Amino acid sequence: MAMAWLKRGIMTVLAGALVMPAGASPAVGSAASASAAATLQKLLDAEWEWELAQFPEHATSLGDHRYDDKVTDRSPAAIAARRSHHQTLLQAVHHIDRTQLTGEDRISYDILEFTADLAVQGDAFYRAADPKRDLALSSEDSPFAMNPMSGPQLSLPQLVRATRFQDESDYRHFLQRMAQWPTSLSQQRALLETGRSVGLVPPRAAIERLPGQFAPLLTADLEAHPLYAPFKSFPAVIPASTQSELRSQAQALLKSSVIPALQSMRDYLAETYLPSSAVKTGASSLPNGEAYYALSLQRYNTTRMTAREIHDLGLREVARIDNAMREVMKEAGFEGTIAEFRTYLRSDKKFQYESADAELAALRDIAKRIDPQLPSLFVELPRLPYGVRPMSKEEGNNAPHYIAGAIDGSRAGYFEANTNNLAAWPKWTMEALVLHEAVPGHHLQIARAQELAALPKWRRAYGNSGFSEGWGLYSEGLGAQLGLYTDPYTRFGRLSMEAHRAARLVVDTGMHAFGWTRQQSIDYLVEHAQLERGFAEAETDRYLVWPGQATAYKVGEQVILALRRKAESELGTRFDVRRFHNAVIDHGGLPLTVLERVIEDWIAQERARPN
């Protein structure tokens, strides 16, 4: 019933936009503007509700608990309905007169059009992937969705962390959701099989560690099982007899259906999926791979840059950063090559943490030093707190990352650090990491967006890699102004992190567009990004299964830096970096093409603003 109501909501908005007597002209002036704005608002509200209902796990992660007893339906019928919805949404957007919109409404239109158009393009790719049949796949139901960076082996433990467990109903909802996981796993397996049937499979080397990631979810020791964690302790409001009942139900579900379903998925991956995976490297080896990669670049970095333009930008940035590294080495009094300096920094025990607790304590200390300095760079700051915690063991060598808090402020955000491989994250990388993942990077930007109450909820939750990762990398460059990077080692660490993002432009496009091998990418990352080899291998595999995403960081940073230079040049003494930063983040996440228009408008407004 909920799905039908939401579908009717979109159709009603569309009908309102389309209905007009023959020969009639659109309304003029303020009435037309009000009508267009009202139609757009209804469309945004309907889309927000549709997305939450379609993807219940995402709703839980955002702090909306209306769907905590449900899972995403990935049946062929549900996928077909989503593809139909994408077409309907784009049609509805295009029947709103953009010229009648102003301010945030025009920005909302541009973001919604960009998103809907990408979804339609993604669906069209899967329609064209097999000339004999229309594949039951969509831009949101991809055969590439299960890999060492994403999939149930990671998302299920993360979902446990995001779920609310305050009273009995929360636990019963979770049990209802748990009972549906075997069906969900079966549907996800069907997506992989559909892709496998036409050669839409990642390179084998990039997914070899995928089956092994399921190991923690297959343990018979429920006390150590990540999915049983909520049932090891209960809120005091739940009676002891009810606790015992809930615990017994969870044990029965895990033993009788969930763990066997996970074991079946693991066996399928190891025995069927991996042996049939692609041997060649890169998207260009896939059916219609060139078009797939071009679409992926647009989706992730949200610009119109070509693979060649991105590759060449990476080469220029790597060369520039290499020179900057040599200057820092001189400051440190080191005579030798960059590779020799890297070896020294990674081999000297004084730069390594002895334990996970020591690494986490250091990260929290850096965060405490940054927080008081933030008003020097921002007019307004978000209120949502954040914490630092270790990532799960099953993530292995994956990169540190940020987990957003609830949109209503009921759950804090978290920077999840990699304490699984202490050697990969020496002390001289820590300051840049906190700046990127916590503040003023991901946490500050995402929490600020979530708290922009004047914006539609769809806007407050919207994000893309080009904007968010571009902002994260830009934030690393603000460290000196926040009292960090006070020695050549942390400055080298910052440059290494930046070099990593620049090298990503080279190796991502190299592998997916220009014939590079996996080994070429690994060697390039070790040489130019100062990565530990094991992490370089994990990063390369990430790029192979996630084409285009890695280009977003440096492309986004370059766009933000170019806009800052433009604002400084045109505003002169009127330029206020605090106001600029809020101008960038105070509209929520934006496609970079939209951000450029927003900052151009802001520059004009600042020029006209009284002193």
Side-chain angles (χ1 to χ4, degrees):
M1 290 298 293
M3 298 300 174
W5 177 84
L6 291 169
K7 181 68 173 179
R8 286 198 302 273
I10 295 289
M11 294 303 294
T12 299
V13 174
L14 176 58
L18 291 173
V19 172
M20 185 179 296
S25 299
V28 295
S30 59
S33 179
S35 175
T39 301
L40 177 63
Q41 184 62 56
K42 291 178 182 177
L43 193 60
L44 289 164
D45 290 345
E47 182 64 11
W48 169 253
E49 294 296 337
W50 180 85
E51 289 184 4
L52 294 180
Q54 285 284 303
F55 308 106
E57 299 89 346
H58 182 55
T60 298
S61 73
L62 290 170
D64 189 316
H65 299 287
R66 290 176 293 165
Y67 305 99
D68 282 0
D69 59 341
K70 295 178 173 59
V71 300
T72 298
D73 183 359
R74 294 186 175 89
S75 65
I79 292 171
R82 277 195 276 277
R83 297 201 311 193
S84 175
H85 172 85
H86 299 154
Q87 294 278 359
T88 301
L89 176 62
L90 185 60
Q91 187 180 8
V93 172
H94 284 160
H95 280 88
I96 297 174
D97 186 354
R98 182 182 182 276
T99 65
Q100 297 298 324
L101 300 172
T102 59
E104 293 295 346
D105 289 333
R106 182 169 287 189
I107 295 173
S108 294
Y109 178 99
D110 291 343
I111 301 171
L112 191 58
E113 180 188 43
F114 175 85
T115 303
D117 181 64
L118 274 180
V120 169
Q121 288 188 61
D123 296 345
F125 169 79
Y126 291 119
R127 283 194 178 96
D130 185 350
K132 297 180 181 179
R133 60 182 172 134
D134 183 5
L135 301 179
L137 300 168
S138 78
S139 60
E140 297 150 328
D141 305 282
S142 165
F144 302 114
M146 197 176 300
N147 56 64
M149 270 60 66
S150 66
Q153 78 282 11
L154 303 180
S155 64
L156 291 181
Q158 288 171 349
L159 184 62
V160 171
R161 286 183 164 188
T163 300
R164 183 182 64 190
F165 293 102
Q166 293 180 350
D167 55 34
E168 180 182 343
S169 66
D170 290 338
Y171 280 85
R172 295 202 181 278
H173 288 155
F174 185 73
L175 287 170
Q176 289 176 268
R177 172 173 272 173
M178 185 185 289
Q180 299 170 70
W181 284 345
T183 298
S184 176
L185 288 164
S186 178
Q187 290 177 346
Q188 292 177 68
R189 175 172 168 170
L191 295 182
L192 298 181
E193 270 296 284
T194 299
R196 193 173 75 90
S197 69
V198 293
L200 294 175
V201 184
R204 186 173 308 167
I207 56 174
E208 281 183 334
R209 63 191 177 103
L210 176 56
Q213 290 181 314
F214 281 76
L217 302 182
L218 303 180
T219 177
D221 179 8
L222 295 188
E223 290 298 314
H225 202 292
L227 306 184
Y228 186 69
F231 299 91
K232 293 163 65 175
S233 63
F234 292 84
V237 296
I238 301 178
S241 59
T242 304
Q243 293 182 24
S244 179
E245 176 199 347
L246 295 171
R247 191 178 292 114
S248 295
Q249 289 185 35
Q251 292 170 354
L253 274 172
L254 283 165
K255 290 178 179 179
S256 67
S257 60
V258 174
I259 293 177
L262 288 163
Q263 181 70 57
S264 178
M265 175 63 84
R266 182 264 166 212
D267 292 346
Y268 163 77
L269 292 169
E271 298 167 9
T272 303
Y273 192 65
L274 266 177
S276 63
S277 58
V279 176
K280 293 183 178 180
T281 299
S284 59
S285 65
L286 298 172
N288 203 18
E290 185 176 340
Y292 174 69
Y293 187 53
L295 179 61
S296 295
L297 289 175
Q298 184 184 6
R299 172 182 292 116
Y300 289 119
N301 67 50
T302 66
T303 71
R304 298 180 180 86
M305 292 180 70
T306 66
R308 172 53 63 188
E309 289 171 333
I310 293 171
H311 190 83
D312 290 346
L313 171 62
L315 292 172
R316 292 194 301 272
E317 282 293 283
V318 166
R320 178 186 65 79
I321 297 166
D322 277 355
N323 289 332
M325 285 181 174
R326 294 186 183 96
E327 292 300 316
V328 171
M329 288 162 53
K330 290 180 183 178
E331 291 180 46
F334 187 89
E335 295 183 2
T337 66
I338 294 176
E340 290 169 340
F341 191 53
R342 179 191 68 235
T343 299
Y344 159 65
L345 291 177
R346 289 199 174 277
S347 61
D348 194 317
K349 295 298 183 183
K350 72 180 179 183
F351 295 118
Q352 299 292 329
Y353 292 107
E354 295 181 355
S355 67
D357 287 343
E359 179 182 317
L360 293 171
L363 290 169
R364 290 166 182 151
D365 177 70
I366 294 167
K368 288 178 182 178
R369 286 188 279 132
I370 293 174
D371 284 342
Q373 308 301 320
L374 292 173
S376 67
L377 291 176
F378 297 88
V379 177
E380 293 186 64
L381 294 165
R383 298 180 297 278
L384 186 73
Y386 67 96
V388 179
R389 67 188 184 193
M391 67 167 60
S392 63
K393 293 292 184 184
E394 50 267 24
E395 293 202 53
N397 252 336
N398 287 349
H401 49 254
Y402 174 69
I403 301 295
I407 196 169
D408 64 357
S410 60
R411 187 184 68 249
Y414 279 94
F415 166 25
E416 293 196 335
N418 187 331
T419 56
N420 300 326
N421 184 354
L422 297 178
W425 302 99
K427 295 178 181 179
W428 42 273
T429 65
M430 293 295 108
E431 291 185 352
L433 265 177
V434 175
L435 290 163
H436 185 108
E437 302 295 343
V439 290
H442 289 328
H443 174 74
L444 191 153
Q445 180 262 309
I446 293 171
R448 177 63 177 166
Q450 292 176 333
E451 294 175 9
L452 297 172
L455 295 183
K457 283 187 176 180
W458 187 88
R459 282 274 307 276
R460 291 161 58 192
Y462 171 80
N464 67 73
S465 294
F467 182 87
S468 62
E469 299 298 356
W471 175 260
L473 182 53
Y474 171 83
S475 295
E476 293 178 29
L478 300 175
Q481 295 166 261
L482 293 166
L484 303 182
Y485 304 145
T486 56
D487 63 70
Y489 305 111
T490 54
R491 286 197 289 278
F492 186 85
R494 186 257 158 157
L495 289 170
S496 295
M497 299 281 279
E498 187 182 8
H500 182 185
R501 280 34 174 266
R504 281 174 169 175
L505 302 186
V506 179
V507 301
D508 192 287
T509 54
M511 290 190 294
H512 292 298
F514 304 122
W516 281 38
T517 66
R518 179 175 181 269
Q519 192 60 50
Q520 276 181 280
S521 171
I522 293 168
D523 292 342
Y524 193 89
L525 290 172
V526 170
E527 180 181 356
H528 293 283
Q530 322 315 314
L531 298 190
E532 182 263 341
R533 186 162 290 273
F535 183 51
E537 293 171 353
E539 280 289 278
T540 294
D541 294 343
R542 167 185 169 174
Y543 312 150
L544 286 172
V545 300
W546 208 355
Q549 193 273 343
T551 68
Y553 299 71
K554 178 53 83 166
V555 168
E557 179 224 30
Q558 290 293 293
V559 169
I560 295 172
L561 285 172
L563 291 172
R564 176 170 172 170
R565 289 192 294 268
K566 179 181 177 68
E568 289 172 334
S569 174
E570 296 192 15
L571 294 176
T573 58
R574 297 177 66 88
F575 177 80
D576 182 342
V577 70
R578 298 166 72 245
R579 292 177 62 83
F580 171 77
H581 287 154
N582 275 104
V584 172
I585 67 172
D586 278 3
H587 305 277
L590 299 172
L592 294 175
T593 51
V594 177
L595 176 65
E596 289 172 341
R597 293 196 292 270
V598 165
I599 296 302
E600 287 172 1
D601 290 344
W602 175 80
I603 291 172
Q605 294 165 8
E606 287 294 285
R607 192 183 294 113
R609 186 170 62 89
N611 287 327

